[in-house]
Structures are given as structure tokens and as C-alpha cells.
Amino acid sequence: MSSIRTHLELAGWPSPGAVLALLKPITWFPPMWAYACGAIAVGSYIDGRLLQVLLGILLAGPLLCGTSQAVNDWFDRDVDAINEPHRVIPSGRVPGQWGLRIAIGMSCLSLAVASLLGSLVLLAAVLGLALAWGYSAPPFRFKQNGWIGNGVVGLSYETLPWLTAAAAILGSTPSWQLTLIALLYGIGAHGILTLNDFKAIKGDRELGIMTLPVQHGALPAAIIACLVMALPQAAILALLFAWSAPYHAFAVSALLTLQIICMVRFVRDPVRYAVWYSAIGVALYVSGMMVSAFALRAMTAPFAMQL
């Protein structure tokens, strides 16, 4: 394996390990989980479409999310050369223009796979790619502002996969109930993205990247992140009660209560506890997503009317 890598590097090609590192598999989980939630939410309609669902999960994670990571690293290569020179592009493990080539190639592959799943999925993939490139690439570069950038990622990583999975299985627009739940979880994900910004406040301030901690300070940003995560979940549990799904609502309520307990510690020292809270709070958050998906599945018959 090492000899293959050496030959590739001598030929000016990145090694498979370097390409995988560029695509950051650890980031694939949120959109894959959201796609699974969307599929489960309309589970009574699946009827032997497991292969289609698995292909959609592949599209949401390794392909579209992997593409977004390659795009982001390519357009951040100069900044990373200063702050994180060990990354694969500034370190030379992905040499020359290969970062851009991989981003473009992954975009094309994503569209090809999306086309196999129907026009609705293809349209969603086009939108997802537009947001991914707009997040990192000029002239838009949404990531320069924490309010805009985190919102774009939250909707791309959570809401869009939810709706795409449901639309792919149904062959039509999902119910307004499912759409509302998916939108609320996407909004809440804005707070999750803010948690990642506390580790680089000094560098972001120097580089003019206006994350919420840079704009408002660590403590106010922490409070904002907690509220943005908690309020949509509170709305969701209220909706579940209203839709006669009390057991699911109680489960979401319990998960939210545990998050709030963790939030108290996080707010006391946001910079110190951001990573800790991200690990615990996000796990509780996405667990609530799955509970809500099963609630929607149970309510499929009463809410069968499509938009």
C-alpha cells in the first residue's frame, strides 16, 4: 500500500488516503442520519425500496457532504496554510489543482447518482450543491457571516435530506407536517454549527470571519446557540402533543430536558465546554430527530394528504 501511495505522489496524484481525508467521513453522519429520518417518517410507503433509500443515504453523506468538504478545503487553502498546515491541501498530500478537480468531480458524480433517484432528488441535489459552493466560494462565501453560513449548513445538512428522502419515496411533495418538523430541526442545527466556532475565536477574529462568538462574544453566542437549539425542539414537542403523539412528545421532552441540563454547564464556560457539549448535546438532539420521525410514521394515515 505504501508503494502505491509513493508512486501516486511521484506522479503528482493524491493517495486514496489523502482523498478520503479531504472528504472528511466524520462529517457525513448528520445528513445521512437526516435522510434516514425522512425515509422512516414515510416508512409505510417504502414497500421494498430499501436499495433506493440506501442509495439516497450514500448521496446525502459521502457524495454531497463529501463534495462540500472538498469545496470548503479548496477555497480555505490559504487560510489553512496559516492556521492548519497539516490539512491535506496545504500539506501537499493533495497537490496542485487536485482539490478543485476532486470537488468538481464529486459534484458531477453526485448529480449522476441523484438522477437515478428521480427528478425531485435531482432538484434537491442541485440545490444542495449550490449551497455547498456558495458557502465556501466567492463571491457569496456565506461562511463569512455566522448567521448566514450556519443557517445554510443547518438547512442543507438536516432539512434538505429529510425532505429529499420523503419526496423520493412518496414520489411527491411531503406532507406539511413532515415539512414543518424537518424545517424546525434544520433551524435548530444552526445552534449546533455555532458550537464549532468557539474553538477558533481568535483566528476567526484576525481573519475577519464573523462567527457568532466573534460578533457577539463567547457568552452571548453560547446563549444564542442554546436558544436556537432548544426553541425548535420545544415547538416540535408541542406539535407532537397537538397531533396526538404524546409518547413521542414525552420522549422528545426528556431528551430536551437533558440537553438543557448540559447547556447550564456549557454556558458557564463556553470556550472550555463547547466540544464537550457538542458531543453530548448533539447526540441527544439527533436522537429526538429519530423519535420525531417515528412519530410522523405512526401518523402517516391521518396525514396522508400531500401539498
Side-chain angles (χ1 to χ4, degrees):
M1 182 65 71
S2 60
S3 62
I4 294 175
R5 182 175 61 196
T6 301
H7 286 306
L8 288 172
E9 291 174 350
L10 290 174
W13 288 56
S15 67
V19 174
L20 188 62
L22 178 67
L23 302 179
K24 298 184 183 67
I26 196 173
T27 66
W28 300 347
F29 172 76
M32 293 171 71
W33 183 265
Y35 197 98
C37 286
I40 287 171
V42 293
S44 60
Y45 291 93
I46 290 180
D47 293 334
R49 299 182 186 178
L50 180 60
L51 182 60
Q52 182 189 42
V53 172
L54 293 176
L55 190 60
I57 291 174
L58 173 70
L59 174 65
L63 296 181
L64 287 173
C65 185
T67 298
S68 72
Q69 299 303 319
V71 172
N72 186 63
D73 273 23
W74 172 254
F75 287 101
D76 276 1
R77 64 194 184 280
D78 294 332
V79 174
D80 288 341
I82 299 172
N83 293 326
E84 298 181 89
H86 60 277
R87 286 197 170 190
V88 290
I89 292 180
S91 68
R93 292 172 59 199
V94 175
Q97 299 285 311
W98 273 106
L100 180 60
R101 293 172 186 169
I102 291 169
I104 294 172
M106 288 291 292
S107 297
C108 295
L109 180 59
S110 297
L111 292 175
V113 172
S115 67
L116 301 176
L117 295 172
S119 58
L120 288 174
V121 177
L122 179 59
L123 180 62
V126 170
L127 176 59
L129 287 171
L131 293 174
W133 283 85
Y135 176 78
S136 302
F140 300 107
R141 202 159 166 77
F142 299 131
K143 68 180 298 178
Q144 289 292 113
N145 184 291
W147 285 106
I148 299 173
N150 289 355
V152 166
V153 175
L155 294 174
S156 299
Y157 274 36
E158 305 296 353
T159 302
L160 189 58
W162 260 76
L163 299 180
T164 302
I169 293 170
L170 294 172
S172 61
T173 309
S175 67
W176 69 266
Q177 288 84 359
L178 187 150
T179 301
L180 180 57
I181 294 293
L183 179 60
L184 286 169
Y185 274 117
I187 292 171
H190 187 292
I192 294 176
L193 272 298
T194 300
L195 299 178
N196 297 325
D197 295 329
F198 287 92
K199 64 180 181 291
I201 296 176
K202 182 179 178 181
D204 288 339
R205 184 179 291 118
E206 291 176 355
L207 295 169
I209 299 175
M210 302 303 292
T211 63
L212 265 62
V214 170
Q215 292 185 51
H216 306 291
L219 179 57
I223 294 172
I224 292 170
C226 290
L227 288 174
V228 171
M229 289 181 67
L231 291 178
Q233 292 179 86
I236 287 166
L237 72 89
L239 288 170
L240 294 179
F241 272 120
W243 295 339
S244 300
Y247 297 113
H248 298 89
F250 278 122
V252 172
S253 178
L255 291 166
L256 177 56
T257 299
L258 291 174
Q259 290 175 65
I260 292 172
I261 293 172
C262 295
M263 286 175 184
V264 173
R265 185 183 189 191
F266 165 56
V267 170
R268 288 174 181 168
D269 191 344
V271 175
R272 179 180 179 183
Y273 290 116
V275 174
W276 169 83
Y277 180 64
S278 180
I280 297 176
V282 173
L284 295 169
Y285 184 92
V286 299
S287 297
M289 286 175 55
M290 189 60 72
V291 171
S292 299
F294 275 102
L296 289 166
R297 176 175 179 150
M299 297 185 294
T300 296
F303 291 156
M305 184 178 297
Q306 304 300 311
L307 289 175

PDB file of all heavy atoms in Angstrom, residues 153-178:
ATOM      1  N   VAL A 153     -25.833  25.813   6.312  1.00  0.00           N
ATOM      2  CA  VAL A 153     -25.393  24.442   6.600  1.00  0.00           C
ATOM      3  C   VAL A 153     -26.480  23.667   7.342  1.00  0.00           C
ATOM      4  O   VAL A 153     -26.722  22.492   7.058  1.00  0.00           O
ATOM      5  CB  VAL A 153     -24.084  24.455   7.416  1.00  0.00           C
ATOM      6  CG1 VAL A 153     -23.696  23.044   7.826  1.00  0.00           C
ATOM      7  CG2 VAL A 153     -22.968  25.080   6.606  1.00  0.00           C
ATOM      8  N   GLY A 154     -27.140  24.312   8.312  1.00  0.00           N
ATOM      9  CA  GLY A 154     -28.188  23.637   9.058  1.00  0.00           C
ATOM     10  C   GLY A 154     -29.304  23.141   8.157  1.00  0.00           C
ATOM     11  O   GLY A 154     -29.749  21.989   8.250  1.00  0.00           O
ATOM     12  N   LEU A 155     -29.752  23.989   7.261  1.00  0.00           N
ATOM     13  CA  LEU A 155     -30.817  23.595   6.334  1.00  0.00           C
ATOM     14  C   LEU A 155     -30.327  22.546   5.335  1.00  0.00           C
ATOM     15  O   LEU A 155     -31.081  21.648   4.959  1.00  0.00           O
ATOM     16  CB  LEU A 155     -31.342  24.825   5.592  1.00  0.00           C
ATOM     17  CG  LEU A 155     -32.065  25.863   6.469  1.00  0.00           C
ATOM     18  CD1 LEU A 155     -32.414  27.098   5.650  1.00  0.00           C
ATOM     19  CD2 LEU A 155     -33.333  25.270   7.095  1.00  0.00           C
ATOM     20  N   SER A 156     -29.074  22.647   4.924  1.00  0.00           N
ATOM     21  CA  SER A 156     -28.517  21.687   3.963  1.00  0.00           C
ATOM     22  C   SER A 156     -28.305  20.323   4.586  1.00  0.00           C
ATOM     23  O   SER A 156     -28.528  19.287   3.940  1.00  0.00           O
ATOM     24  CB  SER A 156     -27.181  22.207   3.407  1.00  0.00           C
ATOM     25  OG  SER A 156     -27.347  23.428   2.730  1.00  0.00           O
ATOM     26  N   TYR A 157     -27.844  20.305   5.849  1.00  0.00           N
ATOM     27  CA  TYR A 157     -27.492  19.043   6.500  1.00  0.00           C
ATOM     28  C   TYR A 157     -28.697  18.343   7.119  1.00  0.00           C
ATOM     29  O   TYR A 157     -28.667  17.123   7.290  1.00  0.00           O
ATOM     30  CB  TYR A 157     -26.450  19.296   7.587  1.00  0.00           C
ATOM     31  CG  TYR A 157     -25.019  19.291   7.110  1.00  0.00           C
ATOM     32  CD1 TYR A 157     -24.684  19.799   5.864  1.00  0.00           C
ATOM     33  CD2 TYR A 157     -24.000  18.788   7.906  1.00  0.00           C
ATOM     34  CE1 TYR A 157     -23.372  19.805   5.429  1.00  0.00           C
ATOM     35  CE2 TYR A 157     -22.683  18.780   7.478  1.00  0.00           C
ATOM     36  CZ  TYR A 157     -22.369  19.295   6.242  1.00  0.00           C
ATOM     37  OH  TYR A 157     -21.069  19.289   5.809  1.00  0.00           O
ATOM     38  N   GLU A 158     -29.729  19.079   7.487  1.00  0.00           N
ATOM     39  CA  GLU A 158     -30.856  18.462   8.187  1.00  0.00           C
ATOM     40  C   GLU A 158     -32.161  18.546   7.387  1.00  0.00           C
ATOM     41  O   GLU A 158     -32.737  17.531   7.026  1.00  0.00           O
ATOM     42  CB  GLU A 158     -31.042  19.115   9.577  1.00  0.00           C
ATOM     43  CG  GLU A 158     -29.797  19.083  10.448  1.00  0.00           C
ATOM     44  CD  GLU A 158     -29.352  17.675  10.814  1.00  0.00           C
ATOM     45  OE1 GLU A 158     -30.067  16.696  10.511  1.00  0.00           O
ATOM     46  OE2 GLU A 158     -28.277  17.539  11.415  1.00  0.00           O
ATOM     47  N   THR A 159     -32.624  19.756   7.099  1.00  0.00           N
ATOM     48  CA  THR A 159     -33.924  19.898   6.445  1.00  0.00           C
ATOM     49  C   THR A 159     -33.944  19.279   5.052  1.00  0.00           C
ATOM     50  O   THR A 159     -34.856  18.508   4.714  1.00  0.00           O
ATOM     51  CB  THR A 159     -34.313  21.383   6.353  1.00  0.00           C
ATOM     52  OG1 THR A 159     -34.338  21.946   7.667  1.00  0.00           O
ATOM     53  CG2 THR A 159     -35.677  21.553   5.711  1.00  0.00           C
ATOM     54  N   LEU A 160     -32.972  19.617   4.237  1.00  0.00           N
ATOM     55  CA  LEU A 160     -32.974  19.154   2.848  1.00  0.00           C
ATOM     56  C   LEU A 160     -32.924  17.633   2.734  1.00  0.00           C
ATOM     57  O   LEU A 160     -33.704  17.046   1.957  1.00  0.00           O
ATOM     58  CB  LEU A 160     -31.814  19.805   2.079  1.00  0.00           C
ATOM     59  CG  LEU A 160     -31.798  19.608   0.567  1.00  0.00           C
ATOM     60  CD1 LEU A 160     -33.080  20.135  -0.062  1.00  0.00           C
ATOM     61  CD2 LEU A 160     -30.581  20.299  -0.054  1.00  0.00           C
ATOM     62  N   PRO A 161     -32.056  16.919   3.478  1.00  0.00           N
ATOM     63  CA  PRO A 161     -32.085  15.453   3.391  1.00  0.00           C
ATOM     64  C   PRO A 161     -33.399  14.839   3.863  1.00  0.00           C
ATOM     65  O   PRO A 161     -33.874  13.863   3.273  1.00  0.00           O
ATOM     66  CB  PRO A 161     -30.915  15.025   4.282  1.00  0.00           C
ATOM     67  CG  PRO A 161     -30.001  16.203   4.330  1.00  0.00           C
ATOM     68  CD  PRO A 161     -30.907  17.394   4.272  1.00  0.00           C
ATOM     69  N   TRP A 162     -33.985  15.389   4.936  1.00  0.00           N
ATOM     70  CA  TRP A 162     -35.294  14.920   5.411  1.00  0.00           C
ATOM     71  C   TRP A 162     -36.311  14.965   4.272  1.00  0.00           C
ATOM     72  O   TRP A 162     -36.972  13.976   3.964  1.00  0.00           O
ATOM     73  CB  TRP A 162     -35.800  15.848   6.524  1.00  0.00           C
ATOM     74  CG  TRP A 162     -35.628  15.393   7.927  1.00  0.00           C
ATOM     75  CD1 TRP A 162     -34.461  15.397   8.641  1.00  0.00           C
ATOM     76  CD2 TRP A 162     -36.637  14.895   8.820  1.00  0.00           C
ATOM     77  NE1 TRP A 162     -34.689  14.957   9.914  1.00  0.00           N
ATOM     78  CE2 TRP A 162     -36.011  14.638  10.053  1.00  0.00           C
ATOM     79  CE3 TRP A 162     -38.001  14.674   8.692  1.00  0.00           C
ATOM     80  CZ2 TRP A 162     -36.707  14.156  11.158  1.00  0.00           C
ATOM     81  CZ3 TRP A 162     -38.711  14.185   9.783  1.00  0.00           C
ATOM     82  CH2 TRP A 162     -38.061  13.920  10.996  1.00  0.00           C
ATOM     83  N   LEU A 163     -36.440  16.150   3.673  1.00  0.00           N
ATOM     84  CA  LEU A 163     -37.447  16.349   2.641  1.00  0.00           C
ATOM     85  C   LEU A 163     -37.131  15.548   1.384  1.00  0.00           C
ATOM     86  O   LEU A 163     -38.039  15.030   0.722  1.00  0.00           O
ATOM     87  CB  LEU A 163     -37.562  17.831   2.307  1.00  0.00           C
ATOM     88  CG  LEU A 163     -37.993  18.755   3.461  1.00  0.00           C
ATOM     89  CD1 LEU A 163     -38.076  20.195   2.984  1.00  0.00           C
ATOM     90  CD2 LEU A 163     -39.330  18.299   4.040  1.00  0.00           C
ATOM     91  N   THR A 164     -35.852  15.441   1.059  1.00  0.00           N
ATOM     92  CA  THR A 164     -35.458  14.709  -0.140  1.00  0.00           C
ATOM     93  C   THR A 164     -35.819  13.235  -0.016  1.00  0.00           C
ATOM     94  O   THR A 164     -36.342  12.623  -0.952  1.00  0.00           O
ATOM     95  CB  THR A 164     -33.953  14.863  -0.396  1.00  0.00           C
ATOM     96  OG1 THR A 164     -33.637  16.260  -0.531  1.00  0.00           O
ATOM     97  CG2 THR A 164     -33.534  14.131  -1.661  1.00  0.00           C
ATOM     98  N   ALA A 165     -35.521  12.649   1.139  1.00  0.00           N
ATOM     99  CA  ALA A 165     -35.829  11.234   1.350  1.00  0.00           C
ATOM    100  C   ALA A 165     -37.330  10.987   1.243  1.00  0.00           C
ATOM    101  O   ALA A 165     -37.778  10.042   0.586  1.00  0.00           O
ATOM    102  CB  ALA A 165     -35.317  10.788   2.716  1.00  0.00           C
ATOM    103  N   ALA A 166     -38.108  11.840   1.913  1.00  0.00           N
ATOM    104  CA  ALA A 166     -39.563  11.673   1.880  1.00  0.00           C
ATOM    105  C   ALA A 166     -40.105  11.831   0.461  1.00  0.00           C
ATOM    106  O   ALA A 166     -40.951  11.048   0.009  1.00  0.00           O
ATOM    107  CB  ALA A 166     -40.221  12.685   2.816  1.00  0.00           C
ATOM    108  N   ALA A 167     -39.613  12.835  -0.247  1.00  0.00           N
ATOM    109  CA  ALA A 167     -40.082  13.070  -1.615  1.00  0.00           C
ATOM    110  C   ALA A 167     -39.702  11.927  -2.543  1.00  0.00           C
ATOM    111  O   ALA A 167     -40.476  11.527  -3.420  1.00  0.00           O
ATOM    112  CB  ALA A 167     -39.516  14.388  -2.134  1.00  0.00           C
ATOM    113  N   ALA A 168     -38.500  11.380  -2.351  1.00  0.00           N
ATOM    114  CA  ALA A 168     -38.043  10.283  -3.205  1.00  0.00           C
ATOM    115  C   ALA A 168     -38.918   9.051  -3.029  1.00  0.00           C
ATOM    116  O   ALA A 168     -39.238   8.352  -4.003  1.00  0.00           O
ATOM    117  CB  ALA A 168     -36.593   9.941  -2.882  1.00  0.00           C
ATOM    118  N   ILE A 169     -39.323   8.783  -1.795  1.00  0.00           N
ATOM    119  CA  ILE A 169     -40.138   7.592  -1.523  1.00  0.00           C
ATOM    120  C   ILE A 169     -41.587   7.814  -1.932  1.00  0.00           C
ATOM    121  O   ILE A 169     -42.228   6.950  -2.536  1.00  0.00           O
ATOM    122  CB  ILE A 169     -40.033   7.223  -0.033  1.00  0.00           C
ATOM    123  CG1 ILE A 169     -38.607   6.763   0.279  1.00  0.00           C
ATOM    124  CG2 ILE A 169     -41.039   6.131   0.328  1.00  0.00           C
ATOM    125  CD1 ILE A 169     -38.314   6.610   1.738  1.00  0.00           C
ATOM    126  N   LEU A 170     -42.104   8.993  -1.622  1.00  0.00           N
ATOM    127  CA  LEU A 170     -43.502   9.283  -1.947  1.00  0.00           C
ATOM    128  C   LEU A 170     -43.716   9.538  -3.436  1.00  0.00           C
ATOM    129  O   LEU A 170     -44.799   9.302  -3.970  1.00  0.00           O
ATOM    130  CB  LEU A 170     -43.968  10.516  -1.161  1.00  0.00           C
ATOM    131  CG  LEU A 170     -44.060  10.390   0.359  1.00  0.00           C
ATOM    132  CD1 LEU A 170     -44.341  11.752   0.980  1.00  0.00           C
ATOM    133  CD2 LEU A 170     -45.145   9.390   0.751  1.00  0.00           C
ATOM    134  N   GLY A 171     -42.686  10.068  -4.090  1.00  0.00           N
ATOM    135  CA  GLY A 171     -42.849  10.476  -5.480  1.00  0.00           C
ATOM    136  C   GLY A 171     -43.626  11.764  -5.611  1.00  0.00           C
ATOM    137  O   GLY A 171     -44.098  12.121  -6.694  1.00  0.00           O
ATOM    138  N   SER A 172     -43.763  12.497  -4.497  1.00  0.00           N
ATOM    139  CA  SER A 172     -44.499  13.760  -4.491  1.00  0.00           C
ATOM    140  C   SER A 172     -44.020  14.586  -3.304  1.00  0.00           C
ATOM    141  O   SER A 172     -43.170  14.158  -2.526  1.00  0.00           O
ATOM    142  CB  SER A 172     -46.008  13.512  -4.388  1.00  0.00           C
ATOM    143  OG  SER A 172     -46.320  12.844  -3.179  1.00  0.00           O
ATOM    144  N   THR A 173     -44.581  15.768  -3.160  1.00  0.00           N
ATOM    145  CA  THR A 173     -44.199  16.646  -2.067  1.00  0.00           C
ATOM    146  C   THR A 173     -44.634  16.060  -0.724  1.00  0.00           C
ATOM    147  O   THR A 173     -45.765  15.588  -0.591  1.00  0.00           O
ATOM    148  CB  THR A 173     -44.864  18.032  -2.234  1.00  0.00           C
ATOM    149  OG1 THR A 173     -44.595  18.503  -3.549  1.00  0.00           O
ATOM    150  CG2 THR A 173     -44.334  19.014  -1.216  1.00  0.00           C
ATOM    151  N   PRO A 174     -43.766  16.075   0.297  1.00  0.00           N
ATOM    152  CA  PRO A 174     -44.143  15.545   1.609  1.00  0.00           C
ATOM    153  C   PRO A 174     -45.264  16.357   2.247  1.00  0.00           C
ATOM    154  O   PRO A 174     -45.537  17.492   1.846  1.00  0.00           O
ATOM    155  CB  PRO A 174     -42.848  15.658   2.427  1.00  0.00           C
ATOM    156  CG  PRO A 174     -41.757  15.782   1.422  1.00  0.00           C
ATOM    157  CD  PRO A 174     -42.355  16.485   0.247  1.00  0.00           C
ATOM    158  N   SER A 175     -45.897  15.788   3.256  1.00  0.00           N
ATOM    159  CA  SER A 175     -46.961  16.474   3.981  1.00  0.00           C
ATOM    160  C   SER A 175     -46.425  17.727   4.658  1.00  0.00           C
ATOM    161  O   SER A 175     -45.226  17.842   4.940  1.00  0.00           O
ATOM    162  CB  SER A 175     -47.576  15.548   5.031  1.00  0.00           C
ATOM    163  OG  SER A 175     -46.627  15.273   6.050  1.00  0.00           O
ATOM    164  N   TRP A 176     -47.308  18.663   4.956  1.00  0.00           N
ATOM    165  CA  TRP A 176     -46.864  19.892   5.608  1.00  0.00           C
ATOM    166  C   TRP A 176     -46.369  19.602   7.025  1.00  0.00           C
ATOM    167  O   TRP A 176     -45.486  20.316   7.528  1.00  0.00           O
ATOM    168  CB  TRP A 176     -47.982  20.929   5.622  1.00  0.00           C
ATOM    169  CG  TRP A 176     -49.159  20.625   6.510  1.00  0.00           C
ATOM    170  CD1 TRP A 176     -50.322  20.015   6.159  1.00  0.00           C
ATOM    171  CD2 TRP A 176     -49.288  20.944   7.903  1.00  0.00           C
ATOM    172  NE1 TRP A 176     -51.177  19.918   7.230  1.00  0.00           N
ATOM    173  CE2 TRP A 176     -50.574  20.479   8.316  1.00  0.00           C
ATOM    174  CE3 TRP A 176     -48.467  21.562   8.838  1.00  0.00           C
ATOM    175  CZ2 TRP A 176     -51.030  20.618   9.630  1.00  0.00           C
ATOM    176  CZ3 TRP A 176     -48.911  21.704  10.145  1.00  0.00           C
ATOM    177  CH2 TRP A 176     -50.190  21.233  10.536  1.00  0.00           C
ATOM    178  N   GLN A 177     -46.883  18.545   7.641  1.00  0.00           N
ATOM    179  CA  GLN A 177     -46.423  18.203   8.982  1.00  0.00           C
ATOM    180  C   GLN A 177     -44.955  17.774   8.964  1.00  0.00           C
ATOM    181  O   GLN A 177     -44.156  18.225   9.778  1.00  0.00           O
ATOM    182  CB  GLN A 177     -47.300  17.084   9.572  1.00  0.00           C
ATOM    183  CG  GLN A 177     -48.695  17.521   9.948  1.00  0.00           C
ATOM    184  CD  GLN A 177     -49.648  17.493   8.768  1.00  0.00           C
ATOM    185  OE1 GLN A 177     -49.268  17.155   7.645  1.00  0.00           O
ATOM    186  NE2 GLN A 177     -50.911  17.839   9.016  1.00  0.00           N
ATOM    187  N   LEU A 178     -44.628  16.894   8.019  1.00  0.00           N
ATOM    188  CA  LEU A 178     -43.237  16.448   7.890  1.00  0.00           C
ATOM    189  C   LEU A 178     -42.331  17.617   7.506  1.00  0.00           C
ATOM    190  O   LEU A 178     -41.228  17.762   8.032  1.00  0.00           O
ATOM    191  CB  LEU A 178     -43.150  15.326   6.847  1.00  0.00           C
ATOM    192  CG  LEU A 178     -41.802  14.622   6.702  1.00  0.00           C
ATOM    193  CD1 LEU A 178     -42.004  13.173   6.275  1.00  0.00           C
ATOM    194  CD2 LEU A 178     -40.884  15.325   5.704  1.00  0.00           C
TER     195      LEU A 178
END
